Amino acid sequence: MAIPETNEAWQGLIDEVASKIEPHRIEPKYGFPDKKTAAFRGLIDHTLLKLDATAEQIDQLCAEAWEWEFASVCVRPNWVKRCVDNLERFSPSSPTASTSKILVASVIGFHEGDYPIDHKLKEITQATTAGAQELDIVLNYHPLLEKDYKAVHAELHALRTAAPTSTLKLILETSRLTSAQIVSASVIAGRNDFDFIKTSTGFHGEGAKVKDVGTMRACAAVLAQQDGKEKMRVKASGGIRDLSQAEAMLEAGAVRLGCSAGVQIAKEAGGEKRNLPAEFTGHGAGRQSSSGGGDY
Ligand SMILES: O=C[C@H](O)COP(=O)(O)O
């Protein structure tokens, strides 16, 4: 799988992928697990990214993630250690503990993405040292807008190299991009072995849109065919507040959802949570949207 060496060569690859995307769009709606099951809730990254989040709110986030068996908790780097410790305490080798493991995801370069690469690399070290298994990294999309694909590649290559075993999700901030730019970013992410492409930070614009999720999924399918490797996955995030929005994103091709409204969605889906042992309850009061009420 050759890496293009010039912006022109990148553009050629991007155009080739774009020309093959349309046929993939006629695929039927994608399915997802029964809404009442832990498998469905296991598609949700339970997210709290407000700058003013408190320790009590982080503890509550972890408790809710354990109870509803979400895929992960997604937090800022400074909270990773606390989440790892919480989740370890909730799921020791107790015979009653479920086998499902709640992961810890950390955002990197959040939420503007245009931090210098050294800042992002420092945050990666901080998060992975503290035990984060997944990293949701905001793309510096400015070079992308200028079609400086070599610069985009240089950033993504440095990030992948710094975290060779982590699950890497690249946040595109799709509300700031055209469909063509979404394809360009997805192609470069694919060539750099990112595991996911993710729509939004939840702090800008409209958040996830069905159309963009469809484009990203179709692009990932073309790349997988072309490169003969596993399909990069799509995470929809930002503004997903209820079950019908969550379902629409999954039907469009997302296989992971990032939401601060995970509990509301799980309740609406009608499943049953497991109960955290009493010794761990008594966590903090209710939370708000990770985007602080949102600008949607
Ligand atoms: O990455 C996830 C988003 O920040 C979640 O945004 P939200 O608060 O709109 O659900």
Side-chain angles (χ1 to χ4, degrees):
M1 194 184 60
I3 298 291
E5 284 177 12
T6 63
N7 286 334
E8 292 69 32
W10 273 112
Q11 188 67 65
L13 174 62
I14 290 162
D15 291 345
E16 190 189 331
V17 172
S19 72
K20 292 180 182 159
I21 281 181
E22 279 313 311
H24 286 266
R25 286 191 187 282
I26 58 173
E27 284 183 36
K29 284 181 177 176
Y30 295 96
F32 51 84
D34 182 337
K35 286 176 278 186
K36 289 188 165 58
T37 63
F40 176 79
R41 299 190 296 276
L43 304 176
I44 294 175
D45 287 341
H46 195 32
T47 302
L48 179 55
L49 299 170
K50 289 191 305 175
L51 268 171
D52 60 353
T54 64
E56 289 71 26
Q57 289 170 332
I58 292 292
D59 293 349
Q60 184 183 352
L61 185 85
C62 295
E64 290 168 346
W66 190 93
E67 288 180 330
W68 289 101
E69 299 173 84
F70 292 132
S72 75
V73 289
C74 182
V75 296
R76 288 181 183 263
N78 56 308
W79 292 117
V80 168
K81 175 83 170 70
R82 190 172 184 102
C83 292
V84 169
D85 290 348
N86 276 334
L87 293 166
E88 284 290 338
R89 284 191 302 123
F90 298 163
S91 270
S93 49
S94 139
T96 53
S98 157
T99 49
S100 64
K101 174 108 178 101
I102 317 298
L103 302 173
V104 177
S106 174
V107 290
I108 301 292
F110 206 83
H111 64 270
E112 286 294 349
D114 54 0
Y115 297 96
I117 185 67
D118 284 352
H119 175 89
K120 288 181 173 173
L121 295 178
K122 224 163 130 180
E123 283 191 330
I124 287 180
T125 304
Q126 182 189 358
T128 53
T129 306
Q133 299 101 334
E134 302 200 336
L135 303 173
D136 291 37
I137 308 175
V138 190
L139 169 73
N140 180 7
Y141 58 83
H142 299 289
L144 185 79
L145 305 188
E146 289 155 21
K147 300 192 175 184
D148 188 353
Y149 305 123
K150 276 179 69 179
V152 178
H153 164 68
E155 177 181 51
L156 301 196
H157 180 68
L159 296 167
R160 177 80 274 182
T161 305
T165 58
S166 306
T167 296
L168 293 194
K169 310 185 194 115
L170 186 67
I171 307 176
L172 308 186
E173 201 66 288
T174 45
S175 66
R176 297 197 157 184
L177 305 178
T178 63
S179 286
Q181 288 162 344
I182 290 171
V183 171
S184 304
S186 302
V187 168
I188 303 173
R191 278 288 155 107
N192 280 287
D193 295 326
F194 273 64
D195 302 281
F196 283 86
I197 33 181
K198 168 174 168 180
T199 59
S200 323
T201 59
F203 285 72
H204 265 302
E206 252 186 284
K209 285 201 288 189
V210 161
K211 179 175 164 284
D212 295 337
V213 170
T215 300
M216 290 155 77
R217 173 74 183 235
C219 185
V222 173
L223 286 171
Q225 219 166 53
Q226 204 172 50
D227 297 342
K229 58 180 197 183
E230 207 181 315
K231 216 179 278 178
M232 193 166 52
R233 290 168 281 167
V234 178
K235 174 174 170 180
S237 59
I240 305 171
R241 298 271 178 272
D242 60 30
L243 183 60
S244 70
Q245 287 174 308
E247 288 176 310
M249 295 300 160
L250 296 171
E251 284 175 344
V255 295
R256 192 77 76 83
L257 304 174
C259 334
S260 53
V263 170
Q264 292 91 304
I265 292 168
K267 284 182 179 166
E268 207 184 330
E272 276 186 35
K273 65 172 185 172
R274 54 186 181 172
N275 287 316
L276 198 57
E279 69 205 86
F280 299 124
T281 54
H283 39 70
R287 294 185 303 107
Q288 295 171 343
S289 154
S290 66
S291 46
D295 28 30
Y296 306 108

